[in-house]
Amino acid sequence: MDSNLNLILLRGLPGAGKTAFARLISENNTYPFFSVDDYFTDQNGIYKFEFSENHKAYAQCISHVENALVQGFSKVIVHNTFTMMWELEPYFNLAKKYHCVLHVLTVEHYHNGANSHDVSKEQLKKMAEKYQVKLF
C-alpha cells in the first residue's frame, strides 16, 4: 500500500515497555500516541482503573486515534495490551477506512522493569495464556 499514513499498534503484557516504546517512536511527541490507560490517568499522572468504565476507555482511545488520522498525522501509535484479536479489530477497520499502512508489533518483557499498574503475577499469567498471535 502506498500511503503516507501509518497506524502502529504496540501490543504486549503490562510492564513489557509499550508506553516507553510509544514515547520513543513518537519522536518527542511529534506523533500522537494513545492508550486505553489514558482514560484512567488524571492530569497529575495518577492511574485509577475502574472496570465498569473500561468500555468508555476503549471508545475514547478509538475516537482519539480516528481524530488523529483525520488530522493527517503520518504516524499514529496505539499502545494497549491487545491480548485478544477482537481488541485489534476496531483499529484494523480504521486502517482500512483511512488507507493506512498497518503495523502490529509485540513488545516483549526483556528488562527488569515492573508494570506501572501493579498487575499481579497471577493476572499476568492469565493474560499470557489468552494472548493471541497471528504469525502468518
Side-chain angles (χ1 to χ4, degrees), residues 116-131:
S116 61
H117 305 309
D118 297 320
V119 178
S120 69
K121 290 270 189 197
E122 182 179 298
Q123 186 62 29
L124 286 171
K125 286 180 183 181
K126 287 179 183 177
M127 292 175 80
E129 288 171 1
K130 67 180 184 176
Y131 201 92

Side-chain angles (χ1 to χ4, degrees), residues 7-136:
L7 180 56
I8 303 167
L9 307 179
L10 303 176
R11 57 192 307 238
L13 296 180
K18 298 177 302 295
T19 303
F21 190 61
R23 282 190 184 107
L24 176 71
I25 64 175
S26 76
E27 299 179 38
N28 292 318
N29 296 320
T30 300
Y31 302 102
F33 55 98
F34 305 101
S35 171
V36 168
D37 288 344
D38 298 341
Y39 182 88
F40 300 108
T41 306
D42 69 17
Q43 64 258 20
N44 298 318
I46 305 299
Y47 177 82
K48 184 179 177 202
F49 180 74
E50 301 263 345
F51 183 77
S52 64
E53 297 285 305
N54 216 20
H55 65 286
K56 292 178 186 177
Y58 276 90
Q60 175 184 283
C61 188
I62 293 164
S63 176
H64 286 193
V65 170
E66 184 164 22
N67 288 339
L69 293 171
V70 167
Q71 290 176 40
F73 283 97
S74 61
K75 188 183 341 180
V76 178
I77 305 151
V78 186
H79 56 106
N80 287 331
T81 55
F82 292 124
T83 56
M84 303 197 352
M85 289 300 168
W86 68 264
E87 296 169 298
L88 293 160
E89 288 296 326
Y91 301 96
F92 293 168
N93 293 337
L94 287 176
K96 190 177 218 179
K97 180 177 180 179
Y98 294 101
H99 309 287
C100 300
V101 177
L102 179 65
H103 310 271
V104 180
L105 296 92
T106 298
V107 180
E108 297 182 25
H109 189 241
Y110 283 99
H111 54 81
N112 290 323
N115 70 76
S116 61
H117 305 309
D118 297 320
V119 178
S120 69
K121 290 270 189 197
E122 182 179 298
Q123 186 62 29
L124 286 171
K125 286 180 183 181
K126 287 179 183 177
M127 292 175 80
E129 288 171 1
K130 67 180 184 176
Y131 201 92
Q132 297 173 333
V133 180
K134 181 180 179 182
L135 297 176
F136 60 92

